[in-house]
Amino acid sequence: MEFDTIAAISTALGEGAIGIVRLSGDEAVAIADKIYKGAKPLSEAASHTIVYGYIMDGETRVEEAMVSIMRAPRTFTREDVVEINCHGGLVSVNKVLKLALKHGARLAEPGEFTKRAFLNGRIDLSQAEGVMDLIRAKTDKAMNVALGQVEGRLSKKIATLRQALLETVASVEVNIDYPEYDAEVVTHDLLIEKANFVEREIDKLLGTANQGKILREGLSTVIVGRPNVGKSSLLNSLVHEEKAIVTDIAGTTRDVIEEYVNVRGVPLRLVDTAGIRETEDMVERIGVERSRQVLKEAELILLVLNYGEELSSEDEALFEAVKHLNVIVIVNKTDVEQRIDLNRVRELAEGRPVVTTSLIKDEGVDELESAIASLFFEGDLESGDATYVSNSRHIALLEQAKSTIQDAKSAIDMGVPIDLVQIDITRTWELLGEIIGDSVHESLIDQLFSQFCLGK
Ligand code: GDP
Ligand code: ZN
């Protein structure tokens, strides 16, 4: 494919020791040569080497620079790529970018480098989406999921399933083309077998969707409880526990504003956190109806009680408001004399976890974190080779594919003519293809890539 040459700053904007201006396209080396002066021109440098020299504006030295030259096709975009490493701050990186633009490069749109990698066939769409998730990953586990996707783990699974469907279609073709060849029975069994295999595998993938989505998007969490029970303390201890919350890795130009807390790899998105901090009482501040709504929409509710006080009617009302929701009950202040009836608390909890803590003494927080983690991640999340589906677009397509393969199965069972069954099978094949960007509409591609950060 033919593209113009694009350029952008590909390191985080802000105070970094090194800034990188990246160029990609047929003219990348030629344009860079116009603003570079070293021992010899860049056009004479071997591919995949780094040279030292100056970035020049006419006869004026602008910057001292290390320049990497990577010629197509073994590059991220599969085009010629030049990366100019400047050590100056933002100002000098910007100057270098401006010079590149002045000499014929075009400013890259957000995500355009990754888009080219996709359009030039180096990565598929699910891998490109993985790149975006990687940039935005909120915990190390979320990063692993994204990385697996970038490495093509999901793509491989999808390819296997599509291959199985293709073989099925092929065997149906044989049957249609040579009806005298009495393969009817064989075909029926084979179809059912393949369709079962595909459905099972789609189910497995969908089985990871819940966890995958939580890892990708975080779990919306609300902390509730009467004034003074320890809500702010709980929030603080969850925040303090936290080993780096990954919100901004190199290459990101946008900050994630929402507040995430990393609990054993589960990103909790604390809803209404500011509210807890400021007014202490959500009900008073936003009204009963509205707060019920907030609770209903939460994926996890941490209900805090006071160990040193008897259960009040307010506590009972809170339990009523969170009936049938995902709740962990925290009985806090175990360091003071017990006044609460724990049996009654367990009754009200209706089988949902009850954890006792003394936040002031930092006791019980481990148990609480385990309870949170095991509520959402039964089994072993660490196991490195699981394929997670985390992206809503992928999940929706898998669900559709599941329903078309089920249609195919019941058609086979009902003895529907085989060329009609073929339609459902082909449709399943297409739906799975959309996950990896096969036959997706151009406008969807534009929309997906526009969500990227600049310089990626
Ligand atoms: P909130 O009103 O629910 O947000 O409660 P806070 O977190 O602001 O805590 C209210 C008071 O209880 C503060 O003085 C805390 O220091 C204290 N507190 C919090 N946790 C504990 C605990 O485990 N034991 C004791 N004794 N006091 C606690
Ligand atoms: Zn408070």
Side-chain angles (χ1 to χ4, degrees), residues 223-236 276-277 279-281 304 306-307 331-336 357-363:
I223 303 176
V224 291
R226 284 188 289 125
N228 241 20
V229 291
K231 296 183 295 297
S232 308
S233 310
L234 174 61
L235 178 63
N236 288 336
I276 292 173
R277 278 191 177 145
T279 68
E280 303 293 320
D281 186 356
V304 189
N306 189 338
Y307 186 82
V331 186
N332 183 41
K333 306 199 188 186
T334 52
D335 54 289
V336 303
T357 61
S358 169
L359 293 171
I360 219 163
K361 290 187 163 178
D362 202 24
E363 283 169 11

Side-chain angles (χ1 to χ4, degrees), residues 184-377:
E184 191 72 38
V185 181
V186 180
T187 307
H188 177 276
D189 290 351
L190 179 101
L191 279 179
I192 284 288
E193 189 193 310
K194 293 267 182 190
N196 275 332
F197 165 73
V198 171
E199 188 189 357
R200 234 182 5 254
E201 291 298 309
I202 290 178
D203 263 340
K204 271 194 220 159
L205 285 174
L206 283 172
T208 68
N210 202 18
Q211 298 185 353
K213 241 174 96 94
I214 290 170
L215 284 177
R216 182 174 181 266
E217 292 166 15
L219 202 62
S220 63
T221 306
V222 178
I223 303 176
V224 291
R226 284 188 289 125
N228 241 20
V229 291
K231 296 183 295 297
S232 308
S233 310
L234 174 61
L235 178 63
N236 288 336
S237 77
L238 287 176
V239 172
H240 286 162
E241 282 296 296
E242 273 351 297
K243 328 86 181 165
I245 301 167
V246 189
T247 54
D248 195 89
I249 60 173
T252 325
T253 53
R254 227 181 294 164
D255 285 305
V256 179
I257 306 153
E258 287 154 303
E259 190 161 358
Y260 286 89
V261 175
N262 177 352
V263 175
R264 309 239 168 126
V266 184
L268 302 189
R269 181 157 38 85
L270 290 158
V271 179
D272 225 36
T273 301
I276 292 173
R277 278 191 177 145
E278 285 158 18
T279 68
E280 303 293 320
D281 186 356
M282 188 169 72
V283 174
E284 192 173 287
R285 196 168 52 80
I286 62 180
V288 179
E289 268 319 301
R290 179 79 182 85
S291 47
R292 266 178 207 279
Q293 199 52 36
V294 170
L295 290 177
K296 281 230 169 64
E297 282 162 15
E299 288 160 301
L300 171 64
I301 294 158
L302 302 175
L303 194 165
V304 189
L305 302 169
N306 189 338
Y307 186 82
E309 289 175 11
E310 284 177 27
L311 275 172
S312 71
S313 56
E314 277 170 273
D315 292 330
E316 303 243 0
L318 273 175
F319 272 108
E320 191 56 38
V322 300
K323 238 181 166 44
H324 310 305
L325 302 178
N326 251 327
V327 178
I328 294 178
V329 180
I330 296 144
V331 186
N332 183 41
K333 306 199 188 186
T334 52
D335 54 289
V336 303
E337 197 190 330
Q338 179 174 1
R339 303 284 294 276
I340 201 166
D341 177 355
L342 279 177
N343 285 330
R344 175 73 187 138
V345 171
R346 293 214 175 81
E347 223 171 84
L348 288 166
E350 295 181 326
R352 293 167 295 187
V354 177
V355 181
T356 55
T357 61
S358 169
L359 293 171
I360 219 163
K361 290 187 163 178
D362 202 24
E363 283 169 11
V365 178
D366 259 5
E367 286 81 350
L368 173 60
E369 293 198 344
S370 298
I372 294 173
S374 61
L375 199 55
F376 293 94
F377 295 96

Side-chain angles (χ1 to χ4, degrees), residues 23-64:
L23 291 97
S24 178
D26 289 349
E27 299 296 312
V29 178
I31 292 170
D33 249 337
K34 289 185 196 159
I35 63 172
Y36 168 85
K37 192 168 177 184
K40 55 182 184 178
L42 297 172
S43 58
E44 288 172 25
S47 186
H48 293 76
T49 59
I50 299 180
V51 296
Y52 168 84
Y54 292 95
I55 299 301
M56 309 291 294
D57 185 2
E59 293 305 308
T60 321
R61 283 182 180 179
V62 173
E63 246 287 46
E64 199 181 14

Side-chain angles (χ1 to χ4, degrees), residues 378-394:
E378 276 163 46
D380 192 8
L381 186 68
E382 310 286 347
S383 69
D385 54 346
T387 305
Y388 280 95
V389 185
S390 61
N391 181 307
S392 318
R393 193 181 72 83
H394 304 169

